[in-house]
Amino acid sequence: MPVMTEPVHAGEFIVSEGNNSISRERVELAADLTLVPGTVLGKNTSTDVYGPLDPDADTGLQMAAGLLWDHVITDATGGEGVIIARLAEVDQELLVWPEGITDEQKATAVSELASLDIILRKGEQG
């Protein structure tokens, strides 16, 4: 019998969030992306377009600005997505970080998320 793997669900990384939709925001996403829920995002400060956190960037994408809520595939023109932008507790084990991120860069991003009142918890998925 083949092994079946269940995909990551929308918002699976959320432990708790603010009432109604106060924690969420609809944003513009960069072109040609395929992302999963819990991806740590940065925001290009000159275009206000979000993309995966890139610690080596100098466009604003190097600063954590939110977490992707659901699966997203954008085309060559970009697209929209919903992010957790504030007021949430999340399971740090379910977040998606850039490949090769250092412990120091991750600690900086965690602090940036904390400044948005997005608090990382270990293994407290609920």
Side-chain angles (χ1 to χ4, degrees):
M1 181 173 249
V3 174
M4 301 183 88
T5 303
E6 189 170 348
V8 178
H9 296 282
E12 184 174 352
F13 60 94
I14 298 288
V15 175
S16 68
E17 63 179 311
N19 289 335
N20 298 318
S21 60
I22 196 167
S23 297
R24 302 179 195 184
E25 211 171 282
R26 182 171 294 283
V27 300
E28 291 295 319
L29 294 167
D32 300 317
L33 297 176
T34 300
L35 302 173
V36 297
T39 298
V40 181
L41 301 175
K43 178 182 174 183
N44 185 316
T45 53
S46 64
T47 63
D48 289 337
V49 173
Y50 288 74
L53 180 70
D54 179 357
D56 298 321
D58 64 358
T59 59
L61 290 173
Q62 74 275 13
M63 297 177 61
L67 304 169
L68 189 64
W69 168 253
D70 200 356
H71 296 267
V72 169
I73 298 174
T74 62
D75 61 20
T77 62
E80 287 189 337
V82 174
I83 67 168
I84 298 299
R86 67 190 73 75
L87 300 173
E89 292 177 291
V90 300
D91 184 338
Q92 68 183 10
E93 303 298 321
L94 298 177
L95 299 185
V96 179
W97 296 94
E99 192 171 316
I101 191 169
T102 67
D103 289 341
E104 183 178 328
Q105 291 167 331
K106 190 182 277 191
T108 298
V110 168
S111 292
E112 292 162 351
L113 290 171
S115 74
L116 300 169
D117 294 318
I118 299 173
I119 309 303
L120 278 61
R121 303 281 186 228
K122 185 170 183 175
E124 292 186 27
Q125 183 185 359

